[in-house]
Amino acid sequence: MNTLTATPLSDRIINLTESATLKMAALARALKQEGKDVISLSLGEPDFDTPEHIREAAKKAIDDRYSKYPPVSGYLELREAIVQKFKRDNNLDYTTDQIVVSTGAKQSLANVILAMLNPGDEAIMPIPYWVSYAAQIQLAEGVLVEIPTSIDNEFKLTPKDLEAAITDKTKLLIFSSPCNPTGSVYSKEELKAIAEVVAKHDELYIIADEIYEHITFVGKHESIAQFDFIKDRVITVNGLSKGFAMTGWRLGYLAAPVPIAKACNKMQGQFTSGACTVTQRAAIEALTGTLEPTYTMRREFQRRRDFLFDLLAEIPGLKNYMPKGAFYFFPDVSSYIGKSDGTTTINNVDDLCMYLLNDCYVSLVTGAAFGNDSCLRISYAASEENLREAFARIKVSLAKLK
Ligand code: PMP
Ligand code: GLU
């Protein structure tokens, strides 16, 4: 039963799905506070410190008295730095009036989804998708259209399935590459094939979430906005949380056609007035300074992915593939559904996720939160010691299920 129904709250909030990633992280935190030895692999949060040169820039910003309201869409110097970043990293040309800086990529996404969807408009997403897209579409009263994908294709959207899902109500296609939760990365050819389908439908726009851009293990990151025939219908979302280990600083940004950027600016002007000034000054340093710390983190994520891939292969009953980016595994665990340890019966992936939390104190996120009923998401943004221990515990707990 929904415990909020007897309160004065709106239907909007009562019906809103809680963020499963944040919920699992909170559950893990609560168990830790009870003294349990919990290993949290639920939150997608780099376990590194923000690089020193960025921290220094923030300290300087405080001393330089960056304490007044910033322009709603972000300081001009920061938007210039973002324009340069798009040129440097993605060979994309934008102007500063196409850029809007927000309080995390999550807010960039909320701005654009609320700014673009009318009630009843359809937003297409390949399953699995990141949790908050669905909730934000719901808030905008849009209709979520889910496209099933296959683990054999690393859960990537095919042009054929995309074409079949498009109707005259379809307004948005939303996806991430590198992908949360699958770790999949679309190649340039795959992106081009998707862009070609979208190009045939004039009313259809793409939100390309590239927040894991710097955590890719297959060479250069590819943006779907690189295809000129589609660029004016792409909204590219990015942010500093993942590539610069700045989750708590809350800085995201988007590049969009000017009318959409202006709409996001208008939306944000009524919600937050803009992102934190100190964070914005630090972001200029992050985007124009050395990327060496980012590359060091990426190498470490890749090293972990490699040894964890072998450890996962040693656990019976899982179906897996090699993720190409981000910091997640998304193995199919459906062979454990229907099993029991004698006390707890596993009826679905949610049960399995909770079983692992309660049995061996490892917190993961259920695939159901991402629209998939067969998988669990494992974040490897954790120390090697914790990861090895967690994988050993998972193996023992799963072995108890008969
Ligand atoms: N998109 C994806 C795919 C994510 O995993 C996240 C989680 N950090 C976000 C957007 C939001 O990032 P933030 O708000 O921290 O910039
Ligand atoms: N994006 C991260 C995740 O998927 C952080 C949590 C969140 O922002 O919801 O775990």
Side-chain angles (χ1 to χ4, degrees):
M1 203 190 87
N2 195 327
T3 51
L4 292 180
T5 44
T7 70
L9 301 174
S10 70
D11 293 347
R12 183 180 301 112
I13 193 67
I14 290 168
N15 296 329
L16 185 68
T17 316
E18 186 179 350
S19 165
T21 46
L22 300 184
K23 187 171 146 195
M24 274 314 278
L27 268 181
R29 223 175 275 137
L31 274 179
K32 253 186 212 164
Q33 265 160 12
E34 283 174 24
K36 303 286 192 299
D37 175 20
V38 178
I39 303 180
S40 182
L41 307 185
S42 45
L43 201 58
E45 169 158 74
D47 54 312
F48 301 101
D49 287 332
T50 303
E52 191 183 351
H53 65 113
I54 302 174
R55 301 200 308 268
E56 288 305 322
K59 291 180 203 164
K60 183 166 182 312
I62 294 172
D63 290 338
D64 289 349
R65 311 286 194 278
Y66 279 97
S67 49
K68 302 284 195 283
Y69 284 126
V72 172
S73 59
Y75 286 121
L76 181 61
E77 297 95 307
L78 175 53
R79 284 180 290 122
E80 281 166 353
I82 293 168
V83 165
Q84 280 166 31
K85 172 249 144 7
F86 274 117
K87 189 69 193 164
R88 177 192 68 188
D89 299 340
N90 316 106
N91 197 25
L92 293 175
D93 291 304
Y94 287 109
T95 49
T96 50
D97 57 351
Q98 294 184 277
I99 309 292
V100 182
V101 173
S102 298
T103 305
K106 203 178 252 184
Q107 196 199 4
S108 304
L109 288 159
N111 282 341
V112 68
I113 288 171
L114 285 169
M116 289 189 70
L117 288 185
N118 275 320
D121 282 348
E122 292 175 2
I124 293 184
M125 297 199 294
I127 306 174
Y129 44 77
W130 182 51
V131 289
S132 294
Y133 306 147
Q136 293 180 0
I137 291 166
Q138 191 188 344
L139 279 177
E141 297 176 54
V143 176
L144 167 59
V145 176
E146 300 180 330
I147 307 186
T149 59
S150 157
I151 193 168
D152 298 323
N153 189 34
E154 298 176 9
F155 295 110
K156 286 187 275 191
L157 174 65
T158 65
K160 190 165 152 273
D161 290 342
L162 173 61
E163 182 75 72
I166 296 171
T167 71
D168 55 5
K169 287 224 162 72
T170 313
K171 189 80 178 278
L172 286 175
L173 162 67
I174 310 177
F175 74 106
S176 59
S177 179
C179 176
N180 177 4
T182 64
S184 305
V185 173
Y186 286 79
S187 68
K188 182 173 175 178
E189 292 67 35
E190 287 165 336
L191 292 175
K192 185 161 184 240
I194 289 172
E196 279 164 355
V197 174
V198 172
K200 288 193 254 167
H201 302 270
D202 291 346
E203 309 296 312
L204 178 53
Y205 285 73
I206 303 173
I207 299 182
D209 183 344
E210 302 189 355
I211 194 158
Y212 293 92
E213 156 174 37
H214 288 299
I215 308 170
T216 171
F217 314 130
V218 285
K220 192 175 147 304
H221 171 75
E222 300 289 350
S223 296
I224 198 161
Q226 70 184 281
F227 304 109
D228 285 340
F229 61 90
I230 194 77
K231 185 172 172 229
D232 61 356
R233 283 199 270 136
V234 178
I235 298 100
T236 304
V237 172
N238 207 325
L240 302 189
S241 286
K242 314 293 172 174
F244 299 87
M246 291 177 71
T247 45
W249 297 67
R250 312 304 305 124
L251 196 120
Y253 56 88
L254 59 74
V258 171
I260 296 175
K262 275 193 178 151
C264 291
N265 184 55
K266 185 174 170 190
M267 181 71 66
Q268 179 157 296
Q270 294 291 21
F271 273 109
T272 61
S273 306
C276 165
T277 53
V278 174
T279 293
Q280 287 198 43
R281 302 312 300 183
I284 297 172
E285 178 60 30
L287 293 171
T288 57
T290 173
L291 284 176
E292 262 325 304
T294 296
Y295 298 148
T296 304
M297 290 187 261
R298 176 171 66 203
R299 280 192 293 273
E300 175 58 15
F301 283 128
Q302 185 163 1
R303 195 183 69 79
R304 291 177 195 170
R305 177 203 63 165
D306 290 346
F307 73 73
L308 291 172
F309 183 76
D310 293 339
L311 288 183
L312 263 185
E314 288 170 18
I315 302 179
L318 303 188
K319 187 167 178 192
N320 196 25
Y321 55 92
M322 186 62 119
K324 311 270 187 322
F327 35 62
Y328 307 105
F329 285 101
F330 199 64
D332 185 314
V333 292
S334 53
S335 70
Y336 288 95
I337 294 174
K339 294 192 174 175
S340 167
D341 68 346
T343 319
T344 310
T345 302
I346 308 299
N347 293 310
N348 50 44
V349 272
D350 290 6
D351 288 353
L352 189 61
C353 194
M354 290 314 293
Y355 166 76
L356 290 173
L357 182 63
N358 294 323
D359 193 69
C360 67
Y361 301 125
V362 176
S363 79
L364 308 176
V365 183
T366 167
F370 307 95
N372 170 296
D373 290 334
S374 308
C375 298
L376 288 178
R377 189 187 78 171
I378 307 174
S379 161
Y380 53 89
S383 69
E384 174 164 358
E385 190 191 352
N386 279 344
L387 287 166
R388 286 190 185 277
E389 169 67 18
F391 275 54
R393 288 190 200 175
I394 292 171
K395 191 174 178 185
V396 171
S397 287
L398 289 181
K400 290 190 224 165
L401 297 173
K402 306 282 178 221

